[in-house]
Short mmCIF file of all heavy atoms in Angstrom, two decimals:
data_model
loop_
_atom_site.label_atom_id
_atom_site.label_comp_id
_atom_site.label_asym_id
_atom_site.label_seq_id
_atom_site.Cartn_x
_atom_site.Cartn_y
_atom_site.Cartn_z
N MET A 285 -5.99 8.03 6.67
CA MET A 285 -5.86 6.74 7.22
C MET A 285 -6.59 5.68 6.40
O MET A 285 -7.66 5.87 6.05
CB MET A 285 -6.31 6.75 8.68
CG MET A 285 -6.11 5.44 9.29
SD MET A 285 -6.42 5.66 11.10
CE MET A 285 -7.27 4.18 11.48
N ASP A 286 -5.90 4.71 6.01
CA ASP A 286 -6.47 3.56 5.13
C ASP A 286 -7.15 2.59 6.17
O ASP A 286 -6.51 1.99 6.93
CB ASP A 286 -5.38 2.93 4.42
CG ASP A 286 -5.96 1.89 3.38
OD1 ASP A 286 -7.16 1.84 3.22
OD2 ASP A 286 -5.10 1.13 2.85
N THR A 287 -8.52 2.51 5.96
CA THR A 287 -9.28 1.59 6.78
C THR A 287 -9.75 0.34 6.01
O THR A 287 -10.50 -0.37 6.49
CB THR A 287 -10.41 2.33 7.36
OG1 THR A 287 -11.26 2.81 6.35
CG2 THR A 287 -10.13 3.44 8.31
N ASP A 288 -9.23 0.17 4.79
CA ASP A 288 -9.53 -0.95 4.00
C ASP A 288 -8.90 -2.22 4.50
O ASP A 288 -7.69 -2.34 4.52
CB ASP A 288 -9.18 -0.72 2.51
CG ASP A 288 -9.59 -1.80 1.56
OD1 ASP A 288 -10.35 -2.70 2.10
OD2 ASP A 288 -9.24 -1.83 0.45
N CYS A 289 -9.67 -3.18 5.04
CA CYS A 289 -9.17 -4.33 5.68
C CYS A 289 -9.10 -5.44 4.79
O CYS A 289 -8.84 -6.70 5.23
CB CYS A 289 -9.89 -4.69 6.91
SG CYS A 289 -9.76 -3.48 8.20
N THR A 290 -9.29 -5.33 3.49
CA THR A 290 -9.27 -6.46 2.55
C THR A 290 -7.86 -6.86 2.28
O THR A 290 -6.88 -6.04 2.38
CB THR A 290 -9.96 -6.03 1.21
OG1 THR A 290 -9.22 -4.96 0.59
CG2 THR A 290 -11.41 -5.73 1.43
N THR A 291 -7.67 -8.15 1.97
CA THR A 291 -6.35 -8.65 1.66
C THR A 291 -6.26 -8.81 0.23
O THR A 291 -7.26 -9.12 -0.53
CB THR A 291 -6.01 -9.99 2.31
OG1 THR A 291 -7.05 -10.95 2.02
CG2 THR A 291 -5.99 -9.75 3.86
N ARG A 292 -5.08 -8.60 -0.32
CA ARG A 292 -4.93 -8.73 -1.78
C ARG A 292 -4.05 -9.96 -2.14
O ARG A 292 -2.94 -10.13 -1.69
CB ARG A 292 -4.20 -7.49 -2.32
CG ARG A 292 -4.21 -7.42 -3.86
CD ARG A 292 -3.64 -6.11 -4.33
NE ARG A 292 -2.26 -6.21 -4.25
CZ ARG A 292 -1.42 -5.10 -4.24
NH1 ARG A 292 -1.97 -3.92 -4.38
NH2 ARG A 292 -0.10 -5.28 -4.25
N GLU A 293 -4.63 -10.92 -2.87
CA GLU A 293 -3.91 -12.16 -3.25
C GLU A 293 -3.31 -12.04 -4.61
O GLU A 293 -4.01 -11.46 -5.53
CB GLU A 293 -4.91 -13.25 -3.20
CG GLU A 293 -4.31 -14.63 -3.05
CD GLU A 293 -5.37 -15.62 -2.87
OE1 GLU A 293 -5.97 -16.17 -3.82
OE2 GLU A 293 -5.54 -16.17 -1.67
N GLU A 294 -2.02 -12.43 -4.74
CA GLU A 294 -1.34 -12.29 -6.10
C GLU A 294 -0.64 -13.65 -6.30
O GLU A 294 -0.35 -14.37 -5.42
CB GLU A 294 -0.39 -11.14 -6.09
CG GLU A 294 -0.95 -9.79 -5.83
CD GLU A 294 0.05 -8.69 -5.75
OE1 GLU A 294 0.48 -8.21 -6.79
OE2 GLU A 294 0.59 -8.40 -4.67
N HIS A 295 -0.36 -13.87 -7.67
CA HIS A 295 0.35 -14.98 -7.99
C HIS A 295 1.86 -14.57 -7.96
O HIS A 295 2.29 -13.47 -8.21
CB HIS A 295 0.04 -15.38 -9.50
CG HIS A 295 -1.36 -15.92 -9.59
ND1 HIS A 295 -1.63 -17.24 -9.34
CD2 HIS A 295 -2.51 -15.40 -9.91
CE1 HIS A 295 -2.95 -17.46 -9.47
NE2 HIS A 295 -3.52 -16.33 -9.85
N ALA A 296 2.67 -15.59 -7.62
CA ALA A 296 4.13 -15.37 -7.53
C ALA A 296 4.80 -16.59 -8.01
O ALA A 296 4.33 -17.66 -8.07
CB ALA A 296 4.49 -15.19 -6.07
N VAL A 297 6.16 -16.37 -8.38
CA VAL A 297 6.93 -17.51 -8.87
C VAL A 297 8.30 -17.36 -8.11
O VAL A 297 8.74 -16.29 -7.92
CB VAL A 297 7.15 -17.47 -10.33
CG1 VAL A 297 7.87 -16.23 -10.81
CG2 VAL A 297 7.88 -18.74 -10.85
N LEU A 298 8.88 -18.60 -7.73
CA LEU A 298 10.21 -18.56 -7.06
C LEU A 298 11.25 -18.76 -8.12
O LEU A 298 11.14 -19.57 -8.97
CB LEU A 298 10.28 -19.63 -6.05
CG LEU A 298 9.19 -19.51 -4.83
CD1 LEU A 298 9.40 -20.60 -3.82
CD2 LEU A 298 9.10 -18.17 -4.26
N VAL A 299 12.35 -17.98 -7.98
CA VAL A 299 13.36 -17.95 -9.02
C VAL A 299 14.66 -18.42 -8.31
O VAL A 299 15.18 -17.83 -7.36
CB VAL A 299 13.55 -16.58 -9.73
CG1 VAL A 299 14.71 -16.66 -10.73
CG2 VAL A 299 12.22 -16.21 -10.27
N GLY A 300 15.35 -19.40 -8.87
CA GLY A 300 16.64 -19.95 -8.31
C GLY A 300 16.39 -20.84 -7.17
O GLY A 300 15.30 -21.11 -6.71
N GLY A 301 17.56 -21.36 -6.70
CA GLY A 301 17.44 -22.32 -5.51
C GLY A 301 16.75 -23.58 -5.70
O GLY A 301 16.34 -23.89 -6.83
N PRO A 302 16.48 -24.29 -4.71
CA PRO A 302 15.84 -25.57 -4.73
C PRO A 302 14.41 -25.58 -5.13
O PRO A 302 13.84 -26.63 -5.58
CB PRO A 302 15.98 -26.17 -3.32
CG PRO A 302 16.19 -25.01 -2.40
CD PRO A 302 16.84 -23.98 -3.27
N ALA A 303 13.72 -24.50 -4.99
CA ALA A 303 12.28 -24.40 -5.38
C ALA A 303 12.11 -23.62 -6.65
O ALA A 303 10.97 -23.10 -6.90
CB ALA A 303 11.47 -23.80 -4.22
N HIS A 304 13.13 -23.50 -7.50
CA HIS A 304 13.00 -22.75 -8.72
C HIS A 304 11.80 -23.19 -9.66
O HIS A 304 11.59 -24.31 -9.81
CB HIS A 304 14.28 -22.98 -9.59
CG HIS A 304 14.27 -22.22 -10.93
ND1 HIS A 304 14.45 -20.85 -10.93
CD2 HIS A 304 14.02 -22.64 -12.13
CE1 HIS A 304 14.36 -20.45 -12.19
NE2 HIS A 304 14.10 -21.53 -12.93
N GLY A 305 11.03 -22.14 -9.94
CA GLY A 305 9.90 -22.43 -10.82
C GLY A 305 8.59 -22.65 -10.02
O GLY A 305 7.46 -22.68 -10.63
N LEU A 306 8.70 -22.78 -8.72
CA LEU A 306 7.46 -23.07 -7.98
C LEU A 306 6.51 -21.87 -8.04
O LEU A 306 7.02 -20.73 -7.83
CB LEU A 306 7.84 -23.33 -6.51
CG LEU A 306 6.66 -23.67 -5.55
CD1 LEU A 306 6.16 -25.07 -5.85
CD2 LEU A 306 7.19 -23.57 -4.12
N ARG A 307 5.33 -22.14 -8.27
CA ARG A 307 4.28 -21.04 -8.38
C ARG A 307 3.38 -21.15 -7.17
O ARG A 307 2.96 -22.20 -6.77
CB ARG A 307 3.47 -21.16 -9.67
CG ARG A 307 4.34 -20.95 -10.89
CD ARG A 307 3.60 -20.98 -12.25
NE ARG A 307 4.36 -20.62 -13.32
CZ ARG A 307 4.58 -19.36 -13.67
NH1 ARG A 307 4.02 -18.37 -13.04
NH2 ARG A 307 5.31 -19.14 -14.73
N LEU A 308 3.03 -19.97 -6.65
CA LEU A 308 2.25 -19.87 -5.48
C LEU A 308 1.42 -18.61 -5.39
O LEU A 308 1.62 -17.71 -6.28
CB LEU A 308 3.00 -20.05 -4.15
CG LEU A 308 4.12 -18.95 -4.05
CD1 LEU A 308 4.28 -18.76 -2.53
CD2 LEU A 308 5.40 -19.40 -4.60
N ARG A 309 0.40 -18.55 -4.44
CA ARG A 309 -0.27 -17.33 -4.35
C ARG A 309 0.10 -16.81 -3.00
O ARG A 309 0.19 -17.46 -2.01
CB ARG A 309 -1.87 -17.67 -4.33
CG ARG A 309 -2.37 -17.76 -5.78
CD ARG A 309 -3.86 -17.96 -5.80
NE ARG A 309 -3.93 -19.38 -5.23
CZ ARG A 309 -5.17 -19.91 -5.07
NH1 ARG A 309 -6.21 -19.19 -5.27
NH2 ARG A 309 -5.25 -21.24 -4.54
N VAL A 310 0.30 -15.46 -2.95
CA VAL A 310 0.69 -14.81 -1.67
C VAL A 310 -0.39 -13.70 -1.40
O VAL A 310 -1.07 -13.23 -2.31
CB VAL A 310 2.09 -14.14 -1.68
CG1 VAL A 310 3.14 -15.26 -1.92
CG2 VAL A 310 2.18 -13.19 -2.88
N THR A 311 -0.43 -13.43 -0.10
CA THR A 311 -1.43 -12.38 0.36
C THR A 311 -0.63 -11.16 0.88
O THR A 311 0.27 -11.33 1.55
CB THR A 311 -2.32 -12.90 1.44
OG1 THR A 311 -2.94 -14.08 0.86
CG2 THR A 311 -3.31 -11.95 1.90
N ASP A 312 -1.02 -9.99 0.45
CA ASP A 312 -0.44 -8.71 0.84
C ASP A 312 0.95 -8.58 0.61
O ASP A 312 1.77 -7.89 1.32
CB ASP A 312 -0.67 -8.52 2.43
CG ASP A 312 -2.22 -8.32 2.64
OD1 ASP A 312 -2.91 -7.91 1.81
OD2 ASP A 312 -2.60 -8.63 3.85
N ARG A 313 1.48 -9.25 -0.45
CA ARG A 313 2.79 -9.05 -0.99
C ARG A 313 3.91 -9.08 0.08
O ARG A 313 4.66 -8.08 0.35
CB ARG A 313 2.94 -7.68 -1.77
CG ARG A 313 3.99 -7.57 -2.72
CD ARG A 313 3.88 -6.34 -3.52
NE ARG A 313 3.04 -6.58 -4.66
CZ ARG A 313 3.12 -5.93 -5.83
NH1 ARG A 313 3.96 -4.95 -6.01
NH2 ARG A 313 2.28 -6.21 -6.74
N PRO A 314 4.11 -10.22 0.73
CA PRO A 314 5.15 -10.26 1.73
C PRO A 314 6.56 -10.04 1.12
O PRO A 314 6.78 -10.39 -0.05
CB PRO A 314 5.09 -11.70 2.25
CG PRO A 314 4.42 -12.49 1.12
CD PRO A 314 3.52 -11.56 0.46
N SER A 315 7.46 -9.53 1.83
CA SER A 315 8.86 -9.28 1.40
C SER A 315 9.65 -10.51 1.38
O SER A 315 10.67 -10.61 0.60
CB SER A 315 9.54 -8.20 2.12
OG SER A 315 9.60 -8.53 3.56
N VAL A 316 9.34 -11.47 2.15
CA VAL A 316 10.14 -12.81 2.28
C VAL A 316 9.22 -13.98 2.27
O VAL A 316 8.16 -13.89 2.90
CB VAL A 316 10.93 -12.80 3.55
CG1 VAL A 316 11.71 -14.11 3.71
CG2 VAL A 316 12.02 -11.66 3.59
N VAL A 317 9.62 -15.02 1.55
CA VAL A 317 8.81 -16.25 1.55
C VAL A 317 9.85 -17.35 2.02
O VAL A 317 11.00 -17.36 1.55
CB VAL A 317 8.37 -16.64 0.22
CG1 VAL A 317 7.73 -18.06 0.19
CG2 VAL A 317 7.23 -15.67 -0.18
N GLN A 318 9.48 -18.17 3.04
CA GLN A 318 10.31 -19.31 3.46
C GLN A 318 9.78 -20.57 2.91
O GLN A 318 8.60 -20.84 2.82
CB GLN A 318 10.32 -19.42 5.06
CG GLN A 318 10.97 -18.28 5.71
CD GLN A 318 10.98 -18.49 7.25
OE1 GLN A 318 11.60 -17.68 7.87
NE2 GLN A 318 10.37 -19.50 7.77
N VAL A 319 10.71 -21.38 2.41
CA VAL A 319 10.31 -22.74 1.87
C VAL A 319 11.13 -23.73 2.69
O VAL A 319 12.29 -23.56 3.01
CB VAL A 319 10.72 -22.85 0.34
CG1 VAL A 319 10.49 -24.23 -0.15
CG2 VAL A 319 10.04 -21.80 -0.45
N THR A 320 10.46 -24.80 3.13
CA THR A 320 11.12 -25.92 3.90
C THR A 320 11.01 -27.20 3.19
O THR A 320 10.09 -27.45 2.42
CB THR A 320 10.50 -25.99 5.39
OG1 THR A 320 9.17 -26.38 5.22
CG2 THR A 320 10.70 -24.73 6.09
N ARG A 321 12.05 -27.97 3.46
CA ARG A 321 12.07 -29.29 2.91
C ARG A 321 12.40 -30.23 4.07
O ARG A 321 13.43 -30.05 4.77
CB ARG A 321 13.11 -29.44 1.73
CG ARG A 321 13.26 -30.85 1.23
CD ARG A 321 14.40 -30.87 0.21
NE ARG A 321 13.93 -30.21 -1.05
CZ ARG A 321 14.76 -29.95 -2.08
NH1 ARG A 321 16.02 -30.20 -1.93
NH2 ARG A 321 14.29 -29.37 -3.09
N PRO A 322 11.62 -31.30 4.23
CA PRO A 322 11.94 -32.25 5.30
C PRO A 322 13.26 -32.95 5.14
O PRO A 322 13.65 -33.30 3.93
CB PRO A 322 10.78 -33.24 5.36
CG PRO A 322 10.06 -33.00 4.14
CD PRO A 322 10.49 -31.75 3.57
N CYS A 323 14.06 -33.20 6.16
CA CYS A 323 15.37 -33.91 6.15
C CYS A 323 15.04 -35.28 6.85
O CYS A 323 14.37 -35.34 7.77
CB CYS A 323 16.45 -33.22 6.92
SG CYS A 323 16.76 -31.56 6.18
N GLU A 324 15.74 -36.31 6.30
CA GLU A 324 15.66 -37.57 7.04
C GLU A 324 16.51 -37.56 8.29
O GLU A 324 17.67 -37.09 8.24
CB GLU A 324 16.14 -38.68 6.09
CG GLU A 324 15.16 -38.88 4.92
CD GLU A 324 15.61 -40.07 4.03
OE1 GLU A 324 16.11 -41.07 4.59
OE2 GLU A 324 15.41 -40.04 2.79
N VAL A 325 16.00 -38.11 9.27
CA VAL A 325 16.75 -38.21 10.52
C VAL A 325 16.74 -39.61 10.96
O VAL A 325 15.83 -40.44 10.66
CB VAL A 325 16.05 -37.29 11.72
CG1 VAL A 325 16.14 -35.85 11.32
CG2 VAL A 325 14.63 -37.68 11.93
N GLU A 326 17.83 -39.96 11.70
CA GLU A 326 18.00 -41.36 12.15
C GLU A 326 17.72 -41.36 13.69
O GLU A 326 18.32 -40.55 14.45
CB GLU A 326 19.39 -41.83 11.84
CG GLU A 326 19.62 -41.97 10.35
CD GLU A 326 21.01 -42.52 10.11
OE1 GLU A 326 21.70 -43.02 10.98
OE2 GLU A 326 21.50 -42.33 8.99
N ALA A 327 16.84 -42.26 14.11
CA ALA A 327 16.57 -42.39 15.56
C ALA A 327 16.34 -41.14 16.24
O ALA A 327 16.95 -40.79 17.20
CB ALA A 327 17.74 -43.17 16.21
N ALA A 328 15.34 -40.32 15.64
CA ALA A 328 15.03 -39.08 16.36
C ALA A 328 14.22 -39.30 17.66
O ALA A 328 13.24 -39.94 17.72
CB ALA A 328 14.12 -38.27 15.35
N PRO A 329 14.80 -38.69 18.72
CA PRO A 329 14.12 -38.79 20.03
C PRO A 329 12.88 -37.96 20.13
O PRO A 329 12.74 -36.85 19.64
CB PRO A 329 15.18 -38.26 20.95
CG PRO A 329 15.99 -37.36 20.18
CD PRO A 329 15.95 -37.87 18.77
N GLY A 330 11.84 -38.63 20.64
CA GLY A 330 10.59 -37.88 20.87
C GLY A 330 9.90 -37.20 19.69
O GLY A 330 9.29 -36.19 19.87
N GLY A 331 10.05 -37.84 18.50
CA GLY A 331 9.36 -37.24 17.37
C GLY A 331 10.01 -35.94 16.76
O GLY A 331 9.46 -35.21 16.06
N VAL A 332 11.29 -35.77 17.19
CA VAL A 332 12.00 -34.63 16.70
C VAL A 332 12.17 -34.72 15.16
O VAL A 332 12.39 -35.78 14.60
CB VAL A 332 13.43 -34.47 17.34
CG1 VAL A 332 14.27 -33.43 16.64
CG2 VAL A 332 13.30 -34.21 18.79
N ARG A 333 12.01 -33.64 14.45
CA ARG A 333 12.20 -33.65 13.01
C ARG A 333 13.21 -32.55 12.68
O ARG A 333 13.37 -31.60 13.38
CB ARG A 333 10.98 -33.54 12.33
CG ARG A 333 10.27 -32.22 12.51
CD ARG A 333 8.97 -32.13 11.67
NE ARG A 333 8.52 -30.74 11.58
CZ ARG A 333 7.30 -30.33 11.90
NH1 ARG A 333 6.43 -31.17 12.36
NH2 ARG A 333 7.06 -29.07 11.81
N ALA A 334 13.72 -32.62 11.47
CA ALA A 334 14.61 -31.54 10.94
C ALA A 334 14.11 -31.06 9.51
O ALA A 334 13.66 -31.92 8.74
CB ALA A 334 16.04 -32.01 10.89
N GLU A 335 14.20 -29.85 9.27
CA GLU A 335 13.89 -29.36 7.95
C GLU A 335 14.90 -28.33 7.48
O GLU A 335 15.46 -27.51 8.23
CB GLU A 335 12.48 -28.61 8.03
CG GLU A 335 11.36 -29.53 8.31
CD GLU A 335 10.00 -28.88 8.37
OE1 GLU A 335 9.98 -27.69 8.35
OE2 GLU A 335 8.98 -29.57 8.32
N ALA A 336 15.18 -28.39 6.21
CA ALA A 336 16.09 -27.48 5.60
C ALA A 336 15.19 -26.19 5.22
O ALA A 336 14.09 -26.23 4.83
CB ALA A 336 16.55 -28.01 4.21
N LEU A 337 15.76 -25.01 5.55
CA LEU A 337 15.04 -23.76 5.36
C LEU A 337 15.71 -22.96 4.24
O LEU A 337 16.91 -22.83 4.16
CB LEU A 337 15.11 -22.96 6.60
CG LEU A 337 14.58 -21.51 6.57
CD1 LEU A 337 13.07 -21.54 6.40
CD2 LEU A 337 14.96 -20.71 7.88
N TYR A 338 14.85 -22.49 3.28
CA TYR A 338 15.38 -21.70 2.14
C TYR A 338 14.48 -20.36 2.13
O TYR A 338 13.29 -20.43 2.41
CB TYR A 338 15.14 -22.37 0.83
CG TYR A 338 15.73 -23.83 0.87
CD1 TYR A 338 15.07 -24.95 1.06
CD2 TYR A 338 17.10 -23.93 0.58
CE1 TYR A 338 15.60 -26.19 1.10
CE2 TYR A 338 17.70 -25.17 0.59
CZ TYR A 338 16.92 -26.30 0.86
OH TYR A 338 17.54 -27.52 0.84
N VAL A 339 15.24 -19.35 1.84
CA VAL A 339 14.65 -18.00 1.89
C VAL A 339 14.59 -17.37 0.54
O VAL A 339 15.52 -17.39 -0.24
CB VAL A 339 15.28 -17.04 2.88
CG1 VAL A 339 14.85 -15.63 2.80
CG2 VAL A 339 15.26 -17.58 4.30
N TYR A 340 13.42 -16.77 0.14
CA TYR A 340 13.30 -16.21 -1.17
C TYR A 340 12.77 -14.75 -0.82
O TYR A 340 11.86 -14.51 -0.07
CB TYR A 340 12.20 -16.85 -2.04
CG TYR A 340 12.75 -18.15 -2.52
CD1 TYR A 340 12.76 -19.29 -1.76
CD2 TYR A 340 13.29 -18.20 -3.88
CE1 TYR A 340 13.28 -20.53 -2.26
CE2 TYR A 340 13.79 -19.40 -4.29
CZ TYR A 340 13.82 -20.51 -3.62
OH TYR A 340 14.30 -21.70 -4.07
N ARG A 341 13.41 -13.76 -1.56
CA ARG A 341 13.04 -12.34 -1.25
C ARG A 341 12.41 -11.71 -2.43
O ARG A 341 12.78 -12.03 -3.67
CB ARG A 341 14.32 -11.57 -0.91
CG ARG A 341 14.94 -12.04 0.30
CD ARG A 341 16.11 -11.12 0.84
NE ARG A 341 16.71 -11.71 1.99
CZ ARG A 341 16.28 -11.54 3.18
NH1 ARG A 341 15.17 -10.91 3.48
NH2 ARG A 341 16.95 -12.11 4.25
N LEU A 342 11.39 -10.85 -2.21
CA LEU A 342 10.70 -10.19 -3.26
C LEU A 342 11.56 -9.37 -4.08
O LEU A 342 12.36 -8.61 -3.55
CB LEU A 342 9.53 -9.39 -2.67
CG LEU A 342 8.72 -8.59 -3.64
CD1 LEU A 342 7.89 -9.55 -4.59
CD2 LEU A 342 7.66 -7.74 -2.91
N GLY A 343 11.50 -9.54 -5.41
CA GLY A 343 12.37 -8.74 -6.39
C GLY A 343 11.53 -7.61 -6.85
O GLY A 343 10.50 -7.26 -6.34
N LEU A 344 12.04 -6.99 -7.85
CA LEU A 344 11.45 -5.93 -8.62
C LEU A 344 10.12 -6.45 -9.29
O LEU A 344 10.05 -7.58 -9.72
CB LEU A 344 12.34 -5.25 -9.67
CG LEU A 344 13.56 -4.56 -9.07
CD1 LEU A 344 14.45 -4.19 -10.30
CD2 LEU A 344 13.22 -3.45 -8.13
N PRO A 345 9.09 -5.56 -9.34
CA PRO A 345 7.84 -5.97 -9.88
C PRO A 345 8.09 -6.44 -11.37
O PRO A 345 8.88 -5.85 -12.10
CB PRO A 345 6.95 -4.73 -9.94
CG PRO A 345 7.53 -3.88 -8.85
CD PRO A 345 9.00 -4.22 -8.78
N ALA A 346 7.40 -7.50 -11.78
CA ALA A 346 7.58 -8.10 -13.12
C ALA A 346 6.52 -7.52 -14.17
O ALA A 346 6.29 -8.14 -15.06
CB ALA A 346 7.50 -9.56 -13.02
N GLY A 347 6.04 -6.34 -13.91
CA GLY A 347 4.97 -5.85 -14.85
C GLY A 347 3.70 -6.58 -14.61
O GLY A 347 3.12 -6.57 -13.56
N ASP A 348 3.11 -7.09 -15.80
CA ASP A 348 1.86 -7.77 -15.74
C ASP A 348 1.92 -9.18 -15.19
O ASP A 348 0.91 -9.78 -15.03
CB ASP A 348 1.18 -7.69 -17.06
CG ASP A 348 0.86 -6.26 -17.47
OD1 ASP A 348 0.61 -5.42 -16.61
OD2 ASP A 348 0.76 -5.96 -18.63
N GLY A 349 3.14 -9.67 -15.09
CA GLY A 349 3.28 -11.12 -14.72
C GLY A 349 3.13 -11.34 -13.26
O GLY A 349 2.88 -10.37 -12.46
N PRO A 350 3.53 -12.53 -12.82
CA PRO A 350 3.51 -12.83 -11.35
C PRO A 350 4.62 -12.12 -10.64
O PRO A 350 5.66 -11.77 -11.28
CB PRO A 350 3.61 -14.30 -11.28
CG PRO A 350 4.39 -14.66 -12.65
CD PRO A 350 3.87 -13.74 -13.58
N LEU A 351 4.47 -11.93 -9.42
CA LEU A 351 5.61 -11.42 -8.54
C LEU A 351 6.69 -12.42 -8.60
O LEU A 351 6.51 -13.59 -8.78
CB LEU A 351 5.09 -11.27 -7.05
CG LEU A 351 4.02 -10.37 -6.70
CD1 LEU A 351 3.61 -10.52 -5.26
CD2 LEU A 351 4.35 -8.90 -7.11
N ARG A 352 8.00 -11.93 -8.48
CA ARG A 352 9.06 -12.72 -8.51
C ARG A 352 9.86 -12.68 -7.23
O ARG A 352 10.23 -11.66 -6.76
CB ARG A 352 9.94 -12.39 -9.74
CG ARG A 352 9.31 -12.50 -11.09
CD ARG A 352 10.12 -11.97 -12.24
NE ARG A 352 11.45 -12.54 -12.31
CZ ARG A 352 11.66 -13.65 -13.03
NH1 ARG A 352 10.77 -14.29 -13.70
NH2 ARG A 352 12.97 -14.06 -13.16
N TYR A 353 10.19 -13.85 -6.61
CA TYR A 353 10.91 -13.98 -5.44
C TYR A 353 12.21 -14.65 -5.77
O TYR A 353 12.13 -15.76 -6.33
CB TYR A 353 10.13 -14.82 -4.41
CG TYR A 353 9.02 -13.99 -3.68
CD1 TYR A 353 7.77 -13.81 -4.36
CD2 TYR A 353 9.22 -13.36 -2.56
CE1 TYR A 353 6.70 -13.19 -3.78
CE2 TYR A 353 8.12 -12.59 -1.91
CZ TYR A 353 6.96 -12.51 -2.54
OH TYR A 353 5.94 -11.80 -1.97
N GLY A 354 13.36 -14.07 -5.47
CA GLY A 354 14.68 -14.55 -5.83
C GLY A 354 15.21 -15.28 -4.60
O GLY A 354 15.01 -14.88 -3.43
N TYR A 355 15.94 -16.34 -4.91
CA TYR A 355 16.59 -17.21 -3.85
C TYR A 355 17.68 -16.39 -3.15
O TYR A 355 18.52 -15.77 -3.83
CB TYR A 355 17.17 -18.46 -4.51
CG TYR A 355 17.94 -19.31 -3.61
CD1 TYR A 355 17.27 -19.86 -2.41
CD2 TYR A 355 19.23 -19.62 -3.90
CE1 TYR A 355 18.11 -20.71 -1.57
CE2 TYR A 355 19.92 -20.49 -2.98
CZ TYR A 355 19.36 -20.97 -1.87
OH TYR A 355 20.09 -21.80 -1.03
N ASP A 356 17.76 -16.38 -1.86
CA ASP A 356 18.79 -15.75 -1.04
C ASP A 356 19.65 -16.84 -0.53
O ASP A 356 19.34 -17.41 0.57
CB ASP A 356 18.12 -14.87 0.03
CG ASP A 356 19.13 -14.09 0.77
OD1 ASP A 356 20.32 -14.35 0.64
OD2 ASP A 356 18.67 -13.17 1.51
N ALA A 357 20.76 -17.11 -1.23
CA ALA A 357 21.71 -18.13 -0.74
C ALA A 357 22.41 -17.79 0.60
O ALA A 357 22.89 -18.75 1.25
CB ALA A 357 22.71 -18.42 -1.81
N ALA A 358 22.45 -16.50 0.99
CA ALA A 358 23.05 -16.17 2.22
C ALA A 358 22.18 -16.32 3.44
O ALA A 358 22.65 -16.14 4.51
CB ALA A 358 23.54 -14.76 2.07
N SER A 359 20.91 -16.60 3.24
CA SER A 359 19.99 -16.68 4.48
C SER A 359 19.91 -18.12 4.85
O SER A 359 20.04 -19.03 4.07
CB SER A 359 18.67 -16.16 4.09
OG SER A 359 18.74 -14.77 3.93
N PRO A 360 19.53 -18.37 6.05
CA PRO A 360 19.21 -17.44 7.09
C PRO A 360 20.43 -16.92 7.84
O PRO A 360 21.47 -17.46 7.98
CB PRO A 360 18.29 -18.26 8.09
CG PRO A 360 18.58 -19.70 7.70
CD PRO A 360 19.14 -19.75 6.36
#
């Protein structure tokens, strides 16, 4: 049983889609990263806001470079 509770932080890059080339740090190698972009709304009641959601999925390891997350155009 693995009792090591340390988290591992790694560098990652997003490939394709609206956030292409964005570099970030991820913890514990998540399989999916969500990126949101605010949308302009007209006369939003009660502070309602809208955001566009984009999904990036972990690809194959890139060797010594950063993790690569590819844009999933079919999500959500």
Side-chain angles (χ1 to χ4, degrees):
M285 180 167 141
D286 185 9
T287 59
D288 184 8
C289 294
T290 61
T291 57
R292 192 172 79 196
E293 200 172 81
E294 298 177 86
H295 291 276
V297 64
L298 303 183
V299 180
H304 178 74
L306 182 72
R307 295 183 173 276
L308 60 149
R309 281 181 289 178
V310 296
T311 303
D312 292 335
R313 200 173 277 205
S315 59
V316 175
V317 172
Q318 291 183 175
V319 175
T320 61
R321 176 183 289 168
C323 298
E324 290 186 33
V325 294
E326 297 179 17
V332 172
R333 67 176 196 232
E335 294 184 347
L337 173 69
Y338 305 98
V339 174
Y340 288 80
R341 297 189 185 278
L342 180 60
L344 296 175
D348 292 335
L351 296 175
R352 297 172 59 88
Y353 285 83
Y355 175 60
D356 184 346
S359 289

